[in-house]
Amino acid sequence: MEQDLQKDITYERIKKLIINGTYPMGKKISERKLEQSLKANKAPIRDALKRLQAEGLVVRKAKSGTYVFSLTKKELLDLLKFRFVIESQSVLLSFEENADKLISETEKILLKMRLALTLNQGEEYLVQDAIFHETLVNLCNNSYFMSSFDRISAIMDTARNFLGNNLEHMQKSIIEHQNIATAISERNIGRVVELLREHILPEFGAYWKNFNLEDDQ
């Protein structure tokens, strides 16, 4: 039991280091350095890396080692298209199932986002950004949509922290989230979906279009 607990703790700690950008996308991961920094043994670290590999957060390269995942332009676009489909359809159900709670929760999260931005707390802002979008999905009460979104949430959070942790992004982001929250409070479902499309998809003006990622091989 204690051994399993240690494995879970090590897994969560390494996952957090990846998501918050301590180990940025594309960086090689040294098991020895993890042992030293986490004061953990090899077994739980290797177990954690296997779990993270299964989730797509790390990749193993033959004769090279273990790396945090990276994204090509096509991979990012595919990820964002998948996210938009799941999020836009989930929010329709969230309106049907929990409209009042959807309105109140998004307003609360928006206040936390504004506060984080005012206090120049970039990491906290991005945490609340992720919670905002999770809320749109989780209130749909549909386990299939929720599990589909959960599959990509860690990858999406890592990409957001890696690519969007700067003032320019957050100033644009807060306006877009305010517009989404306003449309939700007005129960204008069509407008919510339209705003999500503009917020998520690069071809409709989303901030992701500004980043130069690896060309597809």
Side-chain angles (χ1 to χ4, degrees):
M1 184 69 71
E2 184 176 344
Q3 188 177 27
D4 290 339
L5 178 61
Q6 184 60 44
K7 287 181 178 180
D8 289 341
I9 291 172
T10 303
Y11 158 78
E12 291 293 346
R13 292 178 70 187
I14 297 175
K15 185 175 183 177
K16 183 177 180 180
L17 291 173
I18 292 173
I19 291 175
N20 69 19
T22 301
Y23 279 84
M25 289 168 57
K27 182 178 178 62
K28 186 173 183 178
I29 298 174
S30 167
E31 291 186 17
R32 182 173 297 178
K33 288 183 179 179
L34 283 175
E35 289 175 36
Q36 295 171 347
S37 63
L38 301 181
K39 295 181 173 56
N41 297 324
K42 289 182 180 179
I45 287 175
R46 289 180 177 174
D47 178 79
L49 292 176
K50 286 181 181 178
R51 291 169 66 178
L52 293 168
Q53 182 182 13
E55 294 176 12
L57 287 176
V58 304
V59 294
R60 293 184 183 273
K61 299 181 181 180
K63 300 180 181 179
S64 180
T66 302
Y67 295 79
V68 179
F69 79 97
S70 58
L71 294 171
T72 64
K73 291 178 181 178
K74 184 180 186 306
E75 287 168 341
L76 177 61
L77 184 57
D78 287 347
L79 174 66
L80 294 173
K81 285 179 177 178
F82 181 80
R83 174 191 164 190
F84 170 69
V85 170
I86 296 300
E87 204 165 320
S88 61
Q89 295 305 305
S90 295
V91 78
L92 298 179
L93 290 177
S94 294
F95 266 110
E96 293 178 8
E97 298 288 331
N98 290 296
D100 291 339
K101 189 171 184 179
L102 181 64
I103 292 169
S104 63
E105 289 299 313
T106 50
E107 288 177 348
K108 290 176 186 176
I109 298 165
L110 188 65
L111 287 174
K112 293 179 181 179
M113 293 174 72
R114 286 201 197 105
L115 179 60
L117 190 58
T118 300
L119 297 177
N120 198 29
Q121 296 175 341
E123 185 174 336
E124 176 62 18
Y125 179 89
L126 293 172
V127 168
Q128 295 302 323
D129 185 332
I131 293 173
F132 185 97
H133 292 280
E134 288 170 7
T135 300
L136 302 186
V137 176
N138 290 342
L139 290 177
C140 76
N141 289 342
N142 184 300
S143 61
Y144 292 99
F145 279 113
M146 293 162 67
S147 62
S148 295
F149 189 80
D150 188 58
R151 278 184 56 208
I152 65 165
S153 61
I155 293 175
M156 196 67 241
D157 292 346
T158 304
R160 182 186 291 111
N161 290 336
F162 182 70
L163 300 173
N165 193 359
N166 62 76
L167 184 59
E168 181 186 358
H169 164 73
M170 288 183 280
Q171 287 175 334
K172 183 176 188 293
S173 167
I174 193 65
I175 294 171
E176 293 178 352
H177 285 85
Q178 174 64 72
N179 291 339
I180 293 169
T182 298
I184 289 173
S185 68
E186 294 172 349
R187 301 174 189 261
N188 189 338
I189 302 175
R191 180 61 176 156
V192 172
V193 173
E194 178 185 345
L195 290 168
L196 284 173
R197 181 182 290 110
E198 294 173 359
H199 178 66
I200 295 171
L201 298 179
E203 62 263 43
F204 290 92
Y207 190 72
W208 305 102
K209 70 179 181 180
N210 296 324
F211 296 103
N212 295 316
L213 299 177
E214 300 174 14
D215 289 323
D216 302 326
Q217 299 298 316

